[in-house]
Amino acid sequence: MTSVKQRYSKSSGYVLVLFALVLGVLVSIAGVAVDIGNLYIIRNRLERAAKAGALAGVGYRSLRGWDYFATYVVGTPTLKSTKDELFGVMSGVVTENMRAAFSAPTADSTTEFAINTPTVTTNNLTVTNVYTPATDTFRIDATYNAPTFIIGRLGAALGAAPCPLSNGKYRCPITVTEKAQLEKAVVALLLDTSGSMNCPANNALGCACRSNTIGNGCGTSGRVIDALVTALETFRGFFNPYRDYITVIPFNLAAFNSFQIVTNGAASSFGSTQTRQQNFIQSTSLAGLTPKSNTNICDAFIEAIAEL
């Protein structure tokens, strides 16, 4: 009986060691599975946050206009200092999305939206903003250092360091790149250049003056055509001279294209050369819009349909 008890005691010891080893392997596998699932969730969230940031850039560019962020230069446009405002909005959207999911940023949100640098780093999140005005493309490169339970420790134990130790946690960097682009615009401007455009903008006497100068008891305030040209200057600033297509069709007794976007059957943006940019400005200035004759809007619509 004594020998049997001894053999039983030795066998139970082997089972405990084997169980401990198996349990350790199972826990490690479970930890790796949890890490992989967590990294997958974080990556999806980071992709959505970066896409939201790029789309925010598109929206803000549409709201402010092309001239607000870029300057027309023959061959290559240049960015203005106001691009920092754009980058602040893009970075802010990314950091706020990651804050909602993982409390990644530590700075106050009002500070994040005021950041004036292309690259923003808050805690474990780094966001780099890129705006290419010639193509109206917005790109965000975002990196988030995600915490892990097992993968980082296993890597360190095996002599590799894909997930370096940071603040007591092994963090694996996840990097995504997302882009968004503003759609091209195709615009036909129908501009009334009939004699009534010589009337004052605040005309209270009816349209009794149709000469090229304000008079005949119509007052001395600005003409309607003056207000139109001022509006055109603002309107023009919203469009990208490297991509957007615009035709100007003044009309009075008859309509005509003072500026066309089609040359030899091939579409050409109004800013593709300095000459075309200057032609567009000329065709929407007081020198290019002289009020005269009567109105024929039907002819203008026919011209616009044919052009588009």
Side-chain angles (χ1 to χ4, degrees), residues 166-228:
S166 175
N167 296 326
K169 293 183 179 180
Y170 288 94
R171 295 182 175 272
C172 294
I174 300 175
T175 300
V176 301
T177 297
E178 293 291 343
K179 294 182 179 180
Q181 186 176 39
L182 192 65
E183 291 288 341
K184 294 180 180 180
V186 179
V187 180
L189 289 176
L190 306 185
L191 305 180
D192 186 357
T193 56
S194 61
S196 61
M197 297 295 285
N198 273 315
C199 296
N202 60 346
N203 182 22
L205 301 176
C207 202
C209 50
R210 297 197 176 192
S211 62
N212 288 335
T213 58
I214 294 175
N216 301 327
C218 289
T220 57
S221 59
R223 301 171 299 168
V224 177
I225 193 70
D226 299 327
L228 174 63

Side-chain angles (χ1 to χ4, degrees), residues 216-273:
N216 301 327
C218 289
T220 57
S221 59
R223 301 171 299 168
V224 177
I225 193 70
D226 299 327
L228 174 63
V229 169
T230 299
L232 285 172
E233 291 176 354
T234 302
F235 177 83
R236 187 175 63 241
F238 280 85
F239 294 91
N240 188 335
Y242 292 85
R243 302 181 69 236
D244 297 330
Y245 303 141
I246 297 182
T247 182
V248 180
I249 304 176
F251 65 93
N252 39 60
L253 186 62
F256 59 94
N257 282 334
S258 66
F259 181 82
Q260 297 180 345
I261 62 173
V262 177
T263 303
N264 297 326
S268 178
S269 59
F270 69 75
S272 57
T273 66

Side-chain angles (χ1 to χ4, degrees), residues 19 37 58 67 97 114 121 126 130 135 138 207 236 251-252 273 305:
F19 176 77
V58 170
D67 274 356
N97 271 272
T121 300
T126 300
V130 179
T135 58
F138 301 81
C207 202
R236 187 175 63 241
F251 65 93
N252 39 60
T273 66
I305 292 171

Side-chain angles (χ1 to χ4, degrees), residues 18-38:
L18 181 61
F19 176 77
L21 291 174
V22 172
L23 181 62
V25 172
L26 292 176
V27 169
S28 297
I29 293 174
V32 170
V34 170
D35 278 347
I36 292 175
N38 188 47

Side-chain angles (χ1 to χ4, degrees), residues 3-131:
S3 59
V4 173
K5 288 182 179 181
Q6 288 176 347
R7 285 198 298 270
Y8 175 78
S9 177
K10 290 180 181 179
S11 299
S12 62
Y14 294 140
V15 171
L16 289 175
V17 171
L18 181 61
F19 176 77
L21 291 174
V22 172
L23 181 62
V25 172
L26 292 176
V27 169
S28 297
I29 293 174
V32 170
V34 170
D35 278 347
I36 292 175
N38 188 47
L39 294 175
Y40 178 78
I41 292 173
I42 292 176
R43 181 178 181 83
N44 284 345
R45 184 70 186 194
L46 187 61
E47 287 177 345
R48 291 196 295 269
K51 174 62 75 174
L55 291 174
V58 170
Y60 202 63
R61 148 70 180 85
S62 301
L63 179 67
R64 287 291 194 176
W66 190 86
D67 274 356
Y68 189 78
F69 298 108
T71 303
Y72 176 81
V73 177
V74 179
T76 305
T78 58
L79 287 174
K80 297 180 179 179
S81 59
T82 47
K83 70 180 183 300
D84 297 338
E85 180 181 323
L86 172 68
F87 291 158
V89 170
M90 294 169 66
S91 297
V93 170
V94 178
T95 54
E96 287 302 304
N97 271 272
M98 294 304 291
R99 180 201 301 280
F102 306 107
S103 300
T106 56
D108 182 73
S109 61
T110 56
T111 303
E112 290 161 9
F113 275 91
I115 290 172
N116 293 327
T117 56
T119 301
V120 178
T121 300
T122 53
N123 200 12
N124 297 304
L125 177 67
T126 300
V127 181
T128 300
N129 309 279
V130 179
Y131 170 47

